[in-house]
Amino acid sequence: MKDTKKAIQSLEDLLQASVSPFHTIKKSMERLSAAGFTELTAAESWKVEPGKSYYVNLYDSSLIAFSVGSAVSRDKAPMIRMAASHTDWPCLRVKPYPEIIKEGYGQLNVECYGGMLLQTWLDRPLSMAGRVCVRGNDPFEPEVKFVDFKRPLLMVPNLANHIKREPEKGAEPNKQTDMLPIITQVKDKLEDGDFFLTLLAEEIGVEKSEILDYEFYIYNAEHGTLWGINEEFYSAPRLDNITSVEACVTGLLSASSCGKNNDTISLIALYDNEEVGSRTKQGANSTAIDRIMEKLYLALGYDRDQYLSAMFKSYLLSMDVAHAYHPSKPNNYDLKNHPCMNDGVVIKMSSTQTYATDSTAVSVLEELCRKDEIPYRKFSNRSDIRGGSTLGSISSCALAVKAADIGVGLLAMHSAMETMGADDQWAINSLTKAFFEG
């Protein structure tokens, strides 16, 4: 039975926690641990058992979690049904030595991470979250502290039209000069050199000299909201791609508790760095997922040949957001393949293989949707517009598995505030659940 409000409330809880990829993983691990999943460490030997569930933290911003069916056979290695999404989103990130002073205004030197819609980040309450590394007992093991300021700290103000020069009118903001957020006013000249470092030290309770390095994401501090005559739309920061993280975690939790598909392994991969190409140790283009899955099979008593054979039977569900039809911009879409919000799950297709989908993979999803009465539509870009890409092709190529790309349709993708159909989170949750259980 469709329960839109329950699906949106769960999504909103995750969105508010997911103020950096580190915090997305932290929240996901808390949910998995509460459901009985056991944490494993990638750098150690494993003992895993059929009928049990586990997760692996990869460098704090990625996560692999899996449930092993209770009836997996020792004679025949089970296939894996895997769903993957990403934990990062376009935003501003704080640079090293970020303090800038101009006429007493304290600004932060930042860089743009991913393909931001820059104008949408102006005039909004912004906060910061990330991690700080401080000195520890071992130089190779610094102490890591995770921080979320949880309050508006910054803003990037617009310039009034009245005083814009002609070249500035209608121009895209400059990433270096126009996107520097104001964070304070500096009145004491003795403190104007390190106000950001002072803020970090006070927040985590250490001396400034103890801080070695940091990674901080600037995020939109606004909450999500339902709107429309019938509350049929939902707008929030970070829908790309926390909608898919939510579906992955929800689907795996359901699979681990339902007792179905006891002869398979259900697995989710939450990757970092998709917005900048995935070519990192914690991204979809890393060998980490292959190594972790091989460790899993070896821990279950299978050999490498059995593992490789199982992979050719496995299936990857790549989950990232899609483009919903914009009623004011019809010429930016394909003539027929343009889903609207609240059309359900979007199956993304492209002959260029920027989306990892073929007819056999799509047929699996269509059958699952029809069987469980889950609404869906197919999407293709205009033939003269390249469109975007996602982690599906990267990951399926590395693993050599059958794959398909799906997501919920968004308006204003990569904006500081994105919009989706309120019913669509229920739809993608339901398909992920059916994928693991069907």
Side-chain angles (χ1 to χ4, degrees):
M1 179 180 295
K2 181 168 68 175
D3 193 337
T4 294
K5 289 191 174 181
K6 181 179 178 181
I8 290 294
Q9 184 57 62
S10 182
L11 173 62
E12 174 70 13
D13 291 344
L14 183 57
L15 285 167
Q16 288 306 306
S18 297
V19 290
S20 79
F22 311 120
H23 291 82
T24 302
I25 295 305
K26 182 175 181 292
K27 179 66 173 180
S28 298
M29 290 193 300
E30 289 172 357
R31 292 174 67 180
L32 294 169
S33 181
F37 282 63
T38 300
E39 183 172 8
L40 300 173
T41 302
E44 297 176 358
S45 297
W46 294 352
K47 291 183 179 180
V48 299
E49 302 175 30
K52 300 292 181 66
S53 300
Y54 307 86
Y55 65 87
V56 183
N57 178 351
L58 280 178
Y59 307 109
D60 295 330
S61 64
S62 293
L63 176 77
I64 311 296
F66 48 85
S67 292
V68 183
S70 59
V72 296
S73 168
R74 179 63 191 86
D75 299 324
K76 185 178 180 181
M79 67 171 287
I80 296 182
R81 295 183 185 180
M82 62 187 91
S85 58
H86 65 87
T87 60
D88 59 327
W89 29 272
C91 64
L92 299 170
R93 285 194 20 157
V94 181
K95 287 183 176 180
Y97 310 111
E99 295 91 349
I100 298 172
I101 308 294
K102 293 181 181 178
E103 298 295 333
Y105 290 108
Q107 294 177 285
L108 291 185
N109 192 12
V110 298
E111 58 187 329
C112 295
Y113 176 91
M116 301 171 61
L117 287 178
L118 297 176
Q119 193 72 36
T120 68
W121 285 79
L122 305 181
D123 307 321
R124 291 185 185 272
L126 306 174
S127 190
M128 292 187 298
R131 67 179 174 185
V132 184
C133 295
V134 300
R135 298 177 66 184
N137 296 325
D138 182 350
F140 286 90
E141 296 289 341
E143 184 180 352
V144 177
K145 296 179 180 291
F146 298 98
V147 179
D148 176 13
F149 285 96
K150 295 184 178 181
R151 66 185 191 274
L153 276 175
L154 318 97
M155 190 170 290
V156 185
N158 235 314
L159 182 66
N161 256 348
H162 311 77
I163 55 175
K164 281 185 178 179
R165 298 170 301 157
E166 280 303 320
E168 294 173 320
K169 293 181 178 179
E172 176 86 355
N174 181 278
K175 292 180 180 180
Q176 181 61 69
T177 60
D178 295 332
M179 300 304 296
L180 304 180
I182 296 172
I183 189 171
T184 191
Q185 276 193 302
V186 178
K187 298 180 180 179
D188 188 342
K189 293 288 185 181
L190 297 177
E191 297 180 358
D192 66 4
D194 57 3
F195 57 81
F196 178 71
L197 201 62
T198 299
L199 176 67
L200 292 191
E202 291 176 350
E203 185 70 18
I204 62 177
V206 302
E207 296 295 325
K208 288 184 286 187
S209 60
E210 296 296 302
I211 295 176
L212 298 170
D213 203 6
Y214 55 80
E215 294 169 78
F216 268 88
Y217 298 77
I218 294 176
Y219 68 90
N220 181 359
E222 296 171 301
H223 286 217
T225 183
L226 287 164
W227 59 278
I229 291 177
N230 300 303
E231 294 191 331
E232 58 263 66
F233 307 115
Y234 178 70
S235 294
R238 303 179 290 283
L239 294 179
D240 177 8
N241 190 29
I242 302 304
T243 53
S244 298
V245 173
E246 168 69 12
C248 282
V249 174
T250 300
L252 184 62
L253 289 174
S254 177
S256 68
S257 63
C258 73
K260 297 181 180 179
N261 273 330
N262 287 331
D263 59 347
T264 66
I265 296 173
S266 300
L267 179 147
I268 62 171
L270 310 180
Y271 294 114
D272 195 5
N273 302 131
E274 188 276 341
E275 298 292 356
V276 291
S278 296
R279 294 191 298 273
T280 62
K281 64 186 183 301
Q282 61 271 6
N285 204 26
S286 168
T287 59
I289 180 66
D290 180 53
R291 292 177 181 178
I292 283 176
M293 290 193 296
E294 185 173 2
K295 281 175 67 73
L296 167 58
Y297 276 78
L298 293 175
L300 287 169
Y302 303 110
D303 59 30
R304 180 167 174 77
D305 181 67
Q306 288 174 301
Y307 164 64
L308 295 176
S309 297
M311 288 305 297
F312 283 106
K313 299 182 295 182
S314 298
Y315 190 116
L316 168 65
L317 193 59
S318 170
M319 304 175 67
D320 201 349
V321 291
H323 297 289
Y325 181 78
H326 194 306
S328 298
K329 298 290 184 180
N331 292 333
N332 291 69
Y333 296 85
D334 182 69
L335 299 174
K336 297 186 68 174
N337 300 294
H338 50 256
C340 295
M341 292 186 292
N342 289 312
D343 273 351
V345 178
V346 178
I347 300 174
K348 302 188 288 184
M349 307 181 71
S350 173
S351 62
T352 66
Q353 290 300 294
T354 49
Y355 305 129
T357 309
D358 62 28
S359 59
T360 57
V362 169
S363 296
V364 172
L365 300 183
E366 290 194 89
E367 182 63 20
L368 290 174
C369 285
R370 292 180 183 184
K371 177 175 173 288
D372 286 14
E373 298 183 343
I374 301 168
Y376 72 95
R377 286 284 301 275
K378 296 176 182 177
F379 169 85
S380 292
N381 283 298
R382 272 183 62 114
S383 298
D384 55 356
I385 294 179
R386 181 181 181 276
S389 61
T390 185
L391 57 86
S393 293
I394 295 170
S395 193
S396 67
C397 179
L399 298 173
V401 296
K402 184 183 297 183
D405 268 297
I406 67 168
V408 300
L410 296 189
L411 291 179
M413 188 188 298
H414 289 193
S415 170
M417 182 70 78
E418 300 163 322
T419 296
M420 65 183 288
D423 288 342
D424 291 339
Q425 189 64 48
W426 168 85
I428 198 168
N429 288 355
S430 298
L431 178 54
T432 312
K433 180 175 180 287
F435 171 75
F436 284 130
E437 297 178 7

